[in-house]
Amino acid sequence: MNDGDSKLGGEGGDGSRQPVHRPVLLGEVLAVLELRAGLTVVDGTVGAGGHARAIVQSIGPDGVLVGLDRDSEILASARATLSVGTDKAAGAGARVSLHHLPHSRMHEALAAIGQSRCDRVLLDLGVSSLQLDRPERGFSFMADGPLDMRMDADAPVSAADWLATVDEQELADTLFQLGDERYSRRIARKLVEVRRRTPIVRTSQLAALVVDALPGAARGGRIHPATRTFQAIRMHVNDELGELARGLQAAHDCLRPGGRLAVISFHSHEDRAVKHFLRAKFDVLTKKPIEATLAEVQDNPRSRSAKLRCAVRREDVA
Ligand SMILES: C[S@@+](CC[C@H](N)C(=O)[O-])C[C@H]1O[C@@H](n2cnc3c(N)ncnc32)[C@H](O)[C@@H]1O
């Protein structure tokens, strides 16, 4: 699933207008990773290539950027941002190698370019704005679309498939555990009752059913009442916590001793998993997670819940 290689020169990007996902905590990520010329860097969630573009500029012509994403559509945006396969790509920048793979399989991406180890790994978890902004991907309650939510379109089970068969108790537990949804039981009861008559297959339909299930007082508030339900279903359908655990282990195994891992998470369960893993297996550089400044939050509201942690890979124990 190697998506192509390039040499990236200068500014990054081919000068054409690409869809925008603004990288979160960009300056902070570059600082904690201590990038320098010639490093091999794995961006395990390359997305639209926002972080990757800046990384490529920092590691120079002797550096290698290996980018992975489990979403092939997004990978096409990264290819455009990083000029893979264009004339501009023949410049003097770092080599870029893109792969349609989950980050838990980063060793395969490294093997494809003849390497077994790398110097830096970045994981920027969650969804990209490009995924949220496309109603046909089914991630958002803000616009109607098929209830899909798969990051990898080849994955066997969509959100609609799962909702059609999941047991009421398991659904309630998932909404509670992955969405912190206090009305998880009411919502699960409602969805299971409705699906006996009508399949739940559209994002707008699910959002309306969630609102319907809530007591009147819970329908207002700062965030849309379906936010937690959508988050929980998305995290379940993509096994995001399982994938995170495997990706952290893969990063540990692929990094050279002294190499650095930086992880940006957007969810308390993810941040907890990252914190515990780093404490157990790495020398932690960020005792407390780094968060976005007020100015960044105002400029890019998606950065509001971002937490960045960074750590150094220990020496191999003989
Ligand atoms: C927040 S976006 C990354 C944005 C990117 N840093 C940028 O600056 O454009 C997260 C990306 O990670 C991808 N992703 C999520 N889980 C993944 C996994 N387990 N393996 C590979 N990619 C994953 C998503 O498809 C999405 O494109």
Side-chain angles (χ1 to χ4, degrees):
M1 287 200 264
N2 183 351
D3 204 64
D5 284 0
S6 85
K7 297 280 281 180
L8 178 74
E11 248 290 273
D14 58 4
S16 63
R17 299 180 74 193
Q18 302 301 334
V20 180
H21 168 100
R22 280 187 288 168
V24 162
L25 293 168
L26 179 59
E28 292 83 349
V29 165
L30 298 178
V32 293
L33 283 177
E34 281 199 346
L35 297 172
R36 57 175 187 276
L39 293 183
T40 297
V41 180
V42 172
D43 184 340
T45 51
V46 71
H51 288 102
R53 180 161 57 183
I55 291 170
V56 157
Q57 288 164 0
S58 304
I59 58 179
D62 295 329
V64 180
L65 184 283
V66 179
L68 294 86
D69 205 292
R70 69 202 292 201
D71 185 331
S72 56
E73 201 173 277
I74 295 284
L75 210 52
S77 300
R79 199 185 309 123
T81 308
L82 301 171
S83 300
V84 175
T86 68
D87 289 346
K88 197 77 178 274
R95 181 173 163 202
V96 177
S97 179
L98 298 179
H99 303 261
H100 178 211
L101 283 174
H103 50 60
S104 54
R105 291 169 62 185
M106 64 181 76
H107 53 283
E108 290 176 40
L110 282 166
I113 57 157
Q115 299 202 26
S116 58
R117 292 257 170 132
C118 60
D119 303 295
R120 305 286 186 266
V121 174
L122 171 64
L123 300 178
D124 176 17
L125 305 172
V127 271
S128 162
S129 312
L130 302 190
Q131 290 162 324
L132 286 172
D133 290 349
R134 287 175 58 86
E136 59 271 36
R137 301 297 307 270
F139 286 104
S140 173
F141 46 78
M142 302 292 279
D144 184 44
L147 193 54
D148 192 316
M149 298 199 199
R150 284 171 297 177
M151 289 185 189
D152 183 348
D154 299 331
V157 180
S158 70
D161 296 335
W162 183 64
L163 274 184
T165 55
V166 63
D167 158 70
E168 182 177 329
Q169 183 64 47
E170 185 190 338
L171 177 55
D173 290 348
T174 304
L175 299 184
F176 184 72
Q177 286 162 13
L178 297 181
D180 297 316
E181 175 54 69
R182 60 188 288 219
Y183 297 108
S184 55
R185 285 183 198 291
R186 293 174 76 126
I187 296 170
R189 198 178 318 129
K190 176 82 181 179
L191 298 182
V192 167
E193 177 200 306
V194 167
R195 81 179 180 199
R196 286 193 197 106
R197 290 174 269 121
T198 331
I200 304 169
V201 292
R202 307 289 300 179
T203 52
S204 56
Q205 185 191 9
L206 175 61
L209 290 171
V210 171
V211 174
D212 232 34
L214 297 179
R219 292 180 192 174
R222 199 171 50 83
I223 61 169
H224 188 287
T227 306
R228 295 187 179 87
T229 296
F230 271 68
Q231 173 186 293
I233 296 176
R234 187 204 85 214
M235 290 183 74
H236 177 84
V237 164
N238 294 290
D239 186 21
E240 291 181 33
L241 289 179
E243 184 54 31
L244 174 59
R246 293 186 290 276
L248 290 170
Q249 187 60 48
H252 175 269
D253 296 346
C254 289
L255 276 166
R256 290 192 181 89
R260 291 184 174 211
L261 167 62
V263 187
I264 303 172
S265 63
F266 294 86
H267 185 280
S268 57
H269 293 314
E270 287 173 346
D271 182 54
R272 206 172 311 131
V274 173
K275 180 171 82 177
H276 290 306
F277 187 88
L278 294 186
R279 275 191 191 160
K281 302 219 177 187
F282 283 74
D283 292 328
V284 175
L285 293 171
T286 47
K287 298 292 175 221
K288 289 205 165 136
I290 297 171
E291 297 184 3
T293 60
L294 197 58
E296 180 173 0
V297 174
Q298 277 165 355
D299 190 45
N300 181 8
R302 209 183 141 266
S303 66
R304 191 182 53 237
S305 49
K307 290 191 163 48
L308 166 65
R309 294 185 185 269
C310 184
V312 178
R313 166 78 153 82
R314 292 187 190 135
E315 294 297 319
D316 286 320
V317 182

